[in-house]
Amino acid sequence: MTRASILELRRHDWSALRCGCGRSGAHLTESFSRLLDARSTRETIGYTLENHLEVQSMLFEVAPHAVSVMLTALGEDLHDSVRRHFLGMLEYLVTGESHRSEIDAGRPDLEEECIAAVREGIWALYTEAVSGDAEAALDILDYVDEDEDRLEYYRSVLAARLGEG
């Protein structure tokens, strides 16, 4: 059975995109595939998105394309370490800014592209907030959700639920 995250990964021409490591993003298909298939932390060793999508919160051309893959994957069965990695990366992507080289290449608004991509899949983050890592999901939603009433409602319901536990 083909997973939606794999289809989303294949949808992009990664080789045509600049990566934070200085190469094209072609190698990211292998990294994503390994992360998506990992069933242990050990299986993730050597496969990270750090220093590829961003370097010290400075974003590269591959970043907005990676957002949809990570959001799609959040709805699937992921190893906990991969889920945490994706959530951490999403926060970096919505709070970062374009690397100087990307600005020079005509991509000065990569953070806005990342925010827009997260907004397209915002319900994946709300689902994560309710059934997974609420704190990480809400931290990202703080930056992207324009519906403050909705965000506060979820935040209060989840805070009450956590207080009961």
Side-chain angles (χ1 to χ4, degrees):
M1 182 167 98
T2 302
R3 295 166 36 199
S5 60
I6 298 295
L7 290 177
E8 186 60 23
L9 177 65
R10 291 177 184 161
R11 189 172 73 86
H12 302 282
D13 180 6
W14 297 95
S15 64
L17 302 170
R18 287 178 301 279
C19 184
C21 70
R23 299 182 292 165
S24 83
H27 66 283
L28 290 177
T29 57
E30 175 72 11
S31 295
F32 265 119
S33 294
R34 294 290 185 123
L35 291 168
L36 292 168
D37 290 339
R39 293 297 160 238
S40 70
T41 303
R42 177 179 221 156
E43 292 177 19
T44 68
I45 295 171
Y47 300 97
T48 180
L49 302 176
E50 293 170 356
N51 297 318
H52 297 284
L53 308 182
E54 56 78 38
V55 175
Q56 297 180 349
S57 295
M58 303 302 289
L59 310 180
F60 291 87
E61 189 178 33
V62 293
H65 302 274
V67 169
S68 61
V69 176
M70 291 185 288
L71 287 175
T72 302
L74 289 178
E76 299 174 352
D77 182 28
L78 293 175
H79 187 268
D80 289 342
S81 65
V82 174
R83 184 172 299 278
R84 284 190 304 273
H85 182 55
F86 285 177
L87 289 167
M89 290 307 304
L90 286 167
E91 187 168 5
Y92 284 139
L93 300 185
V94 300
T95 61
E97 59 186 66
S98 292
H99 188 272
R100 183 86 200 137
S101 63
E102 294 298 336
I103 294 169
D104 293 344
R107 300 295 299 266
D109 300 318
L110 289 172
E111 67 277 7
E112 292 302 321
E113 291 179 42
C114 289
I115 289 169
V118 171
R119 285 181 179 148
E120 287 180 20
I122 201 164
W123 289 108
L125 287 173
Y126 274 107
T127 300
E128 180 68 24
V130 171
S131 62
D133 188 339
E135 185 176 347
L138 291 171
D139 285 348
I140 298 164
L141 288 163
D142 276 336
Y143 289 98
V144 300
D145 196 353
E146 297 174 306
D147 186 339
E148 293 176 23
D149 292 337
R150 173 176 57 199
L151 180 58
E152 281 311 308
Y153 173 76
Y154 274 81
R155 187 179 297 288
S156 66
V157 168
L158 291 170
R161 187 180 77 186
L162 294 173
E164 293 172 3

